[in-house]
Amino acid sequence: MMAGFGHTTRKHPRSRGRTGSRSGPDNATLGIVGVVCAVAGFFVLGIVLGPVAILCGWLAMGRRWNGAKPLPAVIAVVLGAIDTILALVWMAGTAGPGTGMF
């Protein structure tokens, strides 16, 4: 049986559908990526991975600080902040007096 004129099987092929725009990773994925970056930041490159974890966690929360927050996103933000602070303290400690070239 053929579809009649104007009665296609796909009603609106260019609509976004019920899931919205799929141009990037979803919030759960961003939260998990943020947690992985935060945990890895405790061991290597905390000064880089800490801010990345904060950013991923913030994006996973929907770029808002209020409302319901998924747990991995909150963990990513908190651990990313700890990573960043510890990395800055470590860098300040190694750049203290008596540790330079002269």
Side-chain angles (χ1 to χ4, degrees):
M1 189 169 166
M2 292 179 51
F5 182 73
H7 299 291
T8 60
T9 56
R10 293 177 64 196
K11 296 290 183 190
H12 303 285
R14 294 187 185 185
S15 66
R16 289 186 289 172
R18 65 180 181 84
T19 57
S21 176
R22 304 298 294 170
S23 61
D26 60 347
N27 292 344
T29 304
L30 279 173
I32 293 170
V33 168
V35 170
V36 169
C37 286
V39 171
F42 281 116
F43 302 104
V44 292
L45 295 174
I47 195 68
V48 175
L49 292 176
V52 169
I54 294 172
L55 180 68
C56 287
W58 181 62
L59 290 175
M61 287 192 290
R63 296 183 295 215
R64 284 180 272 142
W65 295 112
N66 56 1
K69 299 173 190 66
L71 188 62
V74 174
I75 293 172
V77 170
V78 170
L79 290 180
I82 293 171
D83 277 348
T84 305
I85 291 170
L86 288 177
L88 290 173
V89 167
W90 179 76
M91 288 172 53
T94 58
T99 58
M101 284 181 73
F102 301 109

